[in-house]
Amino acid sequence: AITALLLALFQYMYKSKVKSNLKYTLTALRALSVFGILMLLINPKFESKTFYDEKPTLVVAADNSESVSYLEQDQNANRVIETITTNRELNERFNIQKYSFGKTVKGLDSLSFNERQSNISEALKQFGEVYANETAPIVMLTDGNQTYGSDYSYVSKTVDQQIYPVVLGDSTVYSDLSIKQLNVNRYVFLKNKFPVEIITNYNGTETINTELKIWSGNTIVFSKPIQFSAENTSEIVSTALTANSVGVKAYRVELAPLQNEKNTVNNSKNFGVEVIDQKTNIALVYDRLHPDLGALKKSIESNEQRSVTILKPKEYLSSINDFQLVILYQPSNNFNLVLDEIKSQKLNSFTISGVTTNWVLLNNSQDFFKQTITNQTEDFQPSLNKNYSTFIIDNLFFEDYPPLRSEFGTLEFLVPHDVILSKSVNGIDTGQPMLSTFEIDNTKHALLSGEGLWRWRAQSYLDSETFNDFDNFIGKLVQYLGSNKKRNRINIDYKSFYNGNDDVIISAQYFNKNFEFDNSAALTIILKSKSDDSVREVPLLLNNGNYRVDLSGIASGAYDFTVKHNTESISASGSFEVLEYNVEQQFLNADIDKLVSLANNSSGKAFYSTQYDELISDLLSDNRYATIQKSTKNIVPLLDWKYLLGIIALSLFAEWFIRKYNGLI
């Protein structure tokens, strides 16, 4: 400011030709212009604060599962939600957010109470993550009966919010018989006996007698009298049934109900087994111990149709005819005779290479592929080929999987092959195959370049808390290698039977005449019920590289289906059975004890559905849920203030105009 003023005074006061009072006006305008320009050069920053009030959030989550309506609590739930969300004082104090939950969490529009499963723990976990940095007490309307997910009693330790369960159900204790759990293998073998374990429960005070029966169709295949009392409230019944024919066999376990028993739905339970003719025996041949061996055995044997035997090369040669598939783990010099036998007998094989693989031997023993030998190793990340056409692959997040270590150098295939996984380094696909399959001379083969599969199985568990994703991937690869089926243009993936509350999902892949995956195909499934011959058609939707249809909710029974292309005469067929069972109808009361424990552990409080006025009063009087005044500090540079440019331009123009008007220019 001083510099601008001195400069203006020098120009208009010191030896200036302007003698009138006009020089004072011009001095002021010049000082203002120079001051503005110098301010822009310095560009100072200014702080501004804005204050606002932030109300706490009130999360209202309603259980939308079938058990709520089965316990006749649906009207109570709607009434409580309506009362809470329309309360004027609550709306002034909180930002109310409404949700419903069953197996997943959704925004709440209306409640239908048709969810076939309830996952309370997942709902609480998601609310804890979304509102981690806010004050957000959770009002949860539920009967406390969870049918899916981990125990929600322990979730409160990870959710930093107060939880207020509203119990949908009464506390009256009724006498009740139930089948608590049923354990049976999914697959059994023809002419074999398979074990069945049934855990039966009794809730009551009197001594009662009942009978447990297992039905196969209209035939009783097992029965046993059982006595319960106030002291003896549970009994485990074990038996063994015989598998007499191949296919899906459905059974029903039934407890004779008590007189005037309120809930008889939980007295019976259906189960099924798939009877298969023989087990697929797989030889895993090795020459050195490695964690991959155990991971492969566990993964493959997760399907009870398959058995893995880990053998040394000499042991395998002595029992070669006992196996339908051989896995060669890092072939060494000791594999020479094994490789010769595989070639001469035309056996299916799965070769896994690593840092100790003898590539000289492997290159010379077959004419399918050649590896450039560099005697150097490298870590490679997997990259999934979504156009793989031989069988359906679940879209796993392979890019997040740990790298595998393998030989550095070019791998060249000399026969037609399909790449499942390719190698990538630092996110860049090298174009080199990591896992490939090929068919030659009516035999099937696969080659995996890399050791460290045990890390993949561990990563699968870290991602989803289950090994299923990785085990299914390896299982499909082994199933393909162990069978003699030819390639089809439509591949379908489904289970032979589904339990009543399972998701009935059927996947398909469609390939054009060149066996390239077609993501623009129009596929339809034609579903026919064997019981009443009813037919329905449902389109398949593209999802993560597969065409899928979700048939969850269809009635129990046996079904035939055909997946067809809408414009080409190409199709694939199958059949499955849905066993009758509704887990949401197994409950007689709300789980009050667990809900009270949940509230206490989270510093909240449990209420019955008739105590909503007390709940509202408690929320309004709790000092933990006060409105917080917050401020936002903004730092703004002067360059962002556009008015200053206008002032500079206006003062320069005014100075020029005055001088021009008075003949000073």
Side-chain angles (χ1 to χ4, degrees), residues 227-411:
Q227 185 178 77
F228 290 110
S229 64
E231 293 76 26
N232 179 32
T233 60
S234 180
E235 184 167 337
I236 299 175
V237 179
S238 298
T239 185
L241 305 179
T242 304
N244 294 317
S245 59
V246 174
V248 176
K249 305 300 173 186
Y251 297 87
R252 186 176 80 258
V253 182
E254 189 177 85
L255 272 175
L258 304 173
Q259 188 176 5
N260 300 324
E261 187 173 354
K262 185 177 180 181
N263 183 9
T264 59
V265 175
N266 58 8
N267 287 39
S268 63
K269 192 169 187 178
N270 294 284
F271 70 94
V273 295
E274 184 175 357
V275 182
I276 55 181
D277 199 359
Q278 62 179 357
K279 179 176 282 192
T280 301
N281 294 313
I282 300 161
L284 177 52
V285 185
Y286 76 104
D287 197 32
R288 74 177 182 102
L289 291 173
H290 194 279
D292 285 353
L293 301 174
L296 282 167
K297 181 176 174 65
K298 284 282 189 183
S299 181
I300 296 171
E301 289 187 343
S302 64
N303 187 322
E304 296 161 20
Q305 297 182 74
R306 306 184 185 106
S307 173
V308 176
T309 306
I310 302 177
L311 301 167
K312 287 283 190 176
K314 289 183 179 179
E315 296 171 332
Y316 170 67
L317 290 172
S318 64
S319 57
I320 193 170
N321 295 323
D322 296 338
F323 303 98
Q324 290 78 49
L325 173 66
V326 56
I327 301 176
L328 307 176
Y329 188 78
Q330 300 211 41
S332 63
N333 289 330
N334 295 329
F335 280 69
N336 199 0
L337 294 177
V338 173
L339 293 169
D340 289 342
E341 286 297 318
I342 290 173
K343 186 175 182 179
S344 62
Q345 295 191 31
K346 294 186 176 180
L347 302 176
N348 294 351
S349 69
F350 178 17
T351 304
I352 302 175
S353 68
V355 296
T356 61
T357 301
N358 187 337
W359 275 108
V360 175
L361 172 66
L362 205 53
N363 284 342
N364 294 333
S365 64
Q366 44 77 36
D367 301 317
F368 308 145
F369 52 83
K370 300 295 179 185
Q371 169 72 48
T372 301
I373 301 173
T374 62
N375 294 321
Q376 297 182 39
T377 59
E378 180 65 84
D379 288 335
F380 294 101
Q381 292 282 148
S383 178
L384 179 63
N385 174 22
K386 296 181 180 180
N387 292 321
Y388 181 73
S389 62
T390 307
F391 55 86
I392 294 178
I393 295 177
D394 296 326
N395 191 22
L396 302 181
F397 297 103
F398 282 103
E399 62 272 13
D400 297 331
Y401 276 29
L404 300 186
R405 181 167 287 271
S406 65
E407 183 83 5
F408 178 77
T410 303
L411 176 63

Side-chain angles (χ1 to χ4, degrees), residues 358-591:
N358 187 337
W359 275 108
V360 175
L361 172 66
L362 205 53
N363 284 342
N364 294 333
S365 64
Q366 44 77 36
D367 301 317
F368 308 145
F369 52 83
K370 300 295 179 185
Q371 169 72 48
T372 301
I373 301 173
T374 62
N375 294 321
Q376 297 182 39
T377 59
E378 180 65 84
D379 288 335
F380 294 101
Q381 292 282 148
S383 178
L384 179 63
N385 174 22
K386 296 181 180 180
N387 292 321
Y388 181 73
S389 62
T390 307
F391 55 86
I392 294 178
I393 295 177
D394 296 326
N395 191 22
L396 302 181
F397 297 103
F398 282 103
E399 62 272 13
D400 297 331
Y401 276 29
L404 300 186
R405 181 167 287 271
S406 65
E407 183 83 5
F408 178 77
T410 303
L411 176 63
E412 180 185 2
F413 274 90
L414 308 176
V415 296
H417 67 287
D418 292 308
V419 176
I420 302 177
L421 300 172
S422 58
K423 297 177 179 178
S424 67
V425 178
N426 296 326
I428 300 173
D429 197 329
T430 64
Q432 284 289 299
M434 174 179 282
L435 175 59
S436 304
T437 60
F438 57 94
E439 300 180 20
I440 196 78
D441 294 335
N442 295 320
T443 61
K444 296 178 179 179
H445 306 274
L447 174 64
L448 173 64
S449 297
E451 66 175 65
L453 278 174
W454 67 273
R455 293 189 179 93
W456 285 10
R457 193 166 190 261
Q459 185 65 45
S460 173
Y461 186 86
L462 292 175
D463 291 343
S464 58
E465 297 184 359
T466 175
F467 296 111
N468 289 345
D469 291 341
F470 177 78
D471 291 349
N472 288 339
F473 172 72
I474 295 296
K476 289 178 180 180
L477 177 61
V478 169
Q479 181 181 10
Y480 159 73
L481 294 173
S483 69
N484 294 317
K485 288 183 179 180
K486 293 185 178 180
R487 178 189 295 189
N488 297 315
R489 286 180 58 192
I490 292 184
N491 292 327
I492 52 177
D493 184 27
Y494 64 99
K495 296 178 181 178
S496 54
F497 70 90
Y498 299 86
N499 291 315
N501 281 81
D502 287 348
D503 294 329
V504 183
I505 295 175
I506 297 176
S507 301
Q509 283 184 326
Y510 170 76
F511 305 97
N512 60 25
K513 293 180 180 179
N514 295 325
F515 282 94
E516 297 169 335
F517 179 75
D518 188 345
N519 61 3
S520 61
L523 301 182
T524 301
I525 183 170
I526 302 173
L527 187 68
K528 182 179 180 181
S529 172
K530 291 183 180 180
S531 59
D532 58 9
D533 291 331
S534 61
V535 177
R536 60 183 291 196
E537 293 191 19
V538 183
L540 278 76
L541 303 178
L542 188 65
N543 187 329
N544 288 332
N546 294 331
Y547 291 93
R548 299 181 67 191
V549 61
D550 190 346
L551 301 173
S552 303
I554 61 175
S556 58
Y559 294 87
D560 292 324
F561 72 91
T562 300
V563 176
K564 69 180 184 69
H565 193 279
N566 289 354
T567 57
E568 291 188 45
S569 58
I570 179 172
S571 63
S573 300
S575 61
F576 62 88
E577 186 168 344
V578 179
L579 305 179
E580 184 178 2
Y581 178 66
N582 190 330
V583 68
E584 291 290 336
Q585 293 182 1
Q586 304 301 305
F587 307 105
L588 189 64
N589 295 96
D591 197 337

Side-chain angles (χ1 to χ4, degrees), residues 543-653:
N543 187 329
N544 288 332
N546 294 331
Y547 291 93
R548 299 181 67 191
V549 61
D550 190 346
L551 301 173
S552 303
I554 61 175
S556 58
Y559 294 87
D560 292 324
F561 72 91
T562 300
V563 176
K564 69 180 184 69
H565 193 279
N566 289 354
T567 57
E568 291 188 45
S569 58
I570 179 172
S571 63
S573 300
S575 61
F576 62 88
E577 186 168 344
V578 179
L579 305 179
E580 184 178 2
Y581 178 66
N582 190 330
V583 68
E584 291 290 336
Q585 293 182 1
Q586 304 301 305
F587 307 105
L588 189 64
N589 295 96
D591 197 337
I592 299 173
D593 292 340
K594 190 174 287 188
L595 291 175
V596 170
S597 175
L598 176 67
N600 293 337
N601 291 338
S602 64
S603 301
K605 189 176 180 182
F607 298 87
Y608 287 99
S609 58
T610 56
Q611 297 176 305
Y612 50 83
D613 287 334
E614 297 177 32
L615 168 63
I616 293 172
S617 176
D618 199 79
L619 290 170
L620 292 174
S621 61
D622 198 320
N623 294 327
R624 291 176 294 182
Y625 313 134
T627 298
I628 301 173
Q629 187 181 72
K630 292 187 175 182
S631 65
T632 302
K633 183 170 70 173
N634 295 318
I635 299 176
V636 183
L638 189 63
L639 278 172
D640 291 347
W641 197 52
K642 298 177 182 178
Y643 294 109
L644 182 59
L645 295 175
I647 292 172
I648 294 172
L650 187 62
S651 62
L652 288 172
F653 172 76

Side-chain angles (χ1 to χ4, degrees), residues 61-65 68 74 77-78 81 99-101 108-114 141:
D63 189 340
N64 198 33
S65 62
V68 175
D74 44 345
N78 281 314
I81 291 175
Y99 300 91
S100 68
F101 64 90
L108 176 59
D109 293 324
S110 61
L111 293 171
S112 56
F113 304 105
N114 60 358
L141 291 83

Side-chain angles (χ1 to χ4, degrees), residues 164-176:
Y164 295 84
V166 177
V167 182
L168 300 176
D170 59 51
S171 57
T172 306
V173 177
Y174 302 95
S175 295
D176 183 58

